[in-house]
Amino acid sequence: MKIFDMHTHCFPDALAPKALPHLAEISKSPYYGSGTYSDLCEKVLSAGGSGAMLLHIATKPSQMTSVNNFAAACQHGNFYSFGSVFPTAENAVEELHRIKELGLKGVKLHPDYQFFFVNEPAVFPVYETAAELRLPITFHAGRDPYSPDTVHCTPEMLAEISARFPTLKIIAAHMGGMEMPDEVEKHLLGCENVYFDTAFATRTLDPDRCGSLIRRHGIEKVFFATDFPWSTIEKEMKLLKGCGFSGEELEMICHKNAERVFGISLV
Ligand SMILES: [Zn+2]
């Protein structure tokens, strides 16, 4: 079976040796590999993966150009990238147009590292433009160790955004909300334009809970993902395989949904 990992991270070679230990210190998480692009590709392929989506994050307005240029340089073979905008930057909407021109597949927003709440009107122009340009947005959803006391993207807020922007494709990372499965159940399951990725689901969910959330949300709207280098294909696949899905259902989650939604075909 082909496996496409819908949520991975890497850094430019010169930054990786500092960036990864720094983030690990903040999140108190172990990590796997060196954080570079070549290491990511090698780890995905050696774990039996076919390819991956690389999610990049601009943590200040001045980073947008370099982050998106790096994202574009990472697109090769079965490896694709999302770009990023700093959503409250003056030129965020302009940069979305450049993301589209660069051929990037979507936009990653991380409200904890970008200091905004997903339902604050100041960032609505970004959602409007992304919807117009048909750029899906992956949101880091739920808790994050970087901002332990304030959740900037709750399942309830995402449900509000999904209703307000019905043509925007929303990917709620971490099964709709890291460490918030009760809220996901209450607010987000079944929302039409909301997709989930399974990134780091092992952190919060057991196979029964994970399988039930996926079934009730809709198997055609869930993407297999790891959050590499914070988790691995081996660990996250073990959880997914324990959920009791049929072979065809696993094919959908592991690669067919991503191929359909992003118009790619894995080679
Ligand atoms: Zn991530």
Side-chain angles (χ1 to χ4, degrees):
M1 181 177 65
K2 289 179 189 164
I3 298 172
F4 186 76
D5 185 341
M6 193 51 214
H7 185 145
T8 65
H9 303 285
C10 70
F11 306 91
D13 289 359
L15 298 182
K18 274 192 182 168
L20 204 49
H22 174 66
L23 289 168
E25 173 71 33
I26 292 170
S27 60
K28 309 262 177 288
S29 293
Y31 58 91
Y32 305 87
S34 68
T36 64
Y37 175 65
S38 55
D39 182 68
L40 183 152
C41 297
E42 189 200 306
K43 293 278 190 318
V44 167
L45 298 174
S46 67
S50 308
M53 192 66 81
L54 281 66
L55 307 182
H56 306 275
I57 303 160
T59 55
K60 31 184 167 169
S62 61
Q63 277 181 357
M64 291 194 296
T65 310
S66 58
V67 163
N68 292 323
N69 290 346
F70 175 63
C74 289
Q75 295 210 112
H76 187 69
N78 289 336
F79 291 84
Y80 297 91
S81 287
F82 273 33
S84 184
V85 295
F86 193 87
T88 50
E90 246 174 50
N91 54 340
V93 163
E94 218 178 296
E95 188 67 12
L96 285 173
H97 286 271
R98 211 174 70 87
I99 285 174
K100 187 71 184 180
E101 281 158 24
L102 286 168
L104 302 175
K105 295 293 175 191
V107 179
K108 168 76 188 275
L109 297 180
H110 198 313
D112 301 296
Y113 282 86
Q114 297 179 314
F115 319 111
F116 71 102
F117 289 92
V118 292
N119 61 346
E120 74 184 59
V123 301
F124 288 176
V126 167
Y127 303 156
E128 258 163 50
T129 307
E132 276 166 28
L133 294 172
R134 298 179 192 280
L135 287 169
I137 299 182
T138 292
F139 291 91
H140 173 90
R143 297 191 184 283
D144 188 280
Y146 188 62
S147 169
D149 304 322
T150 310
V151 182
H152 292 89
C153 178
T154 64
E156 188 171 11
M157 290 175 196
L158 271 187
E160 187 190 325
I161 295 307
S162 103
R164 192 183 273 266
F165 299 95
T167 59
L168 176 65
K169 280 198 169 89
I170 292 169
I171 301 161
H174 313 297
M175 285 301 297
M178 174 86 82
E179 296 175 14
M180 303 183 86
D182 295 342
E183 289 84 348
V184 170
E185 231 167 78
K186 191 166 169 201
H187 301 288
L188 218 46
L189 285 191
C191 280
E192 196 144 337
N193 52 333
V194 174
Y195 297 74
F196 292 169
D197 80 28
T198 68
F200 220 156
T202 49
R203 187 181 171 109
T204 317
L205 302 172
D206 62 28
D208 284 350
R209 191 84 195 265
C210 187
S212 143
L213 287 171
I214 292 175
R215 276 196 193 288
R216 291 163 62 202
H217 185 57
I219 287 167
E220 72 291 350
K221 293 195 298 179
V222 178
F223 305 116
F224 172 75
T226 61
D227 209 4
F228 182 86
W230 308 110
S231 185
T232 64
I233 288 183
E234 289 90 338
K235 284 171 186 267
E236 301 302 321
M237 272 306 288
K238 192 172 169 219
L239 171 69
L240 187 66
K241 284 191 168 160
C243 293
F245 294 115
S246 70
E248 178 54 24
E249 288 168 338
L250 283 175
E251 297 266 1
M252 289 170 72
I253 297 165
C254 288
H255 68 99
K256 285 186 177 171
N257 292 341
E259 289 180 290
R260 183 188 77 243
V261 170
F262 295 97
I264 57 180
S265 49
L266 299 175
V267 289

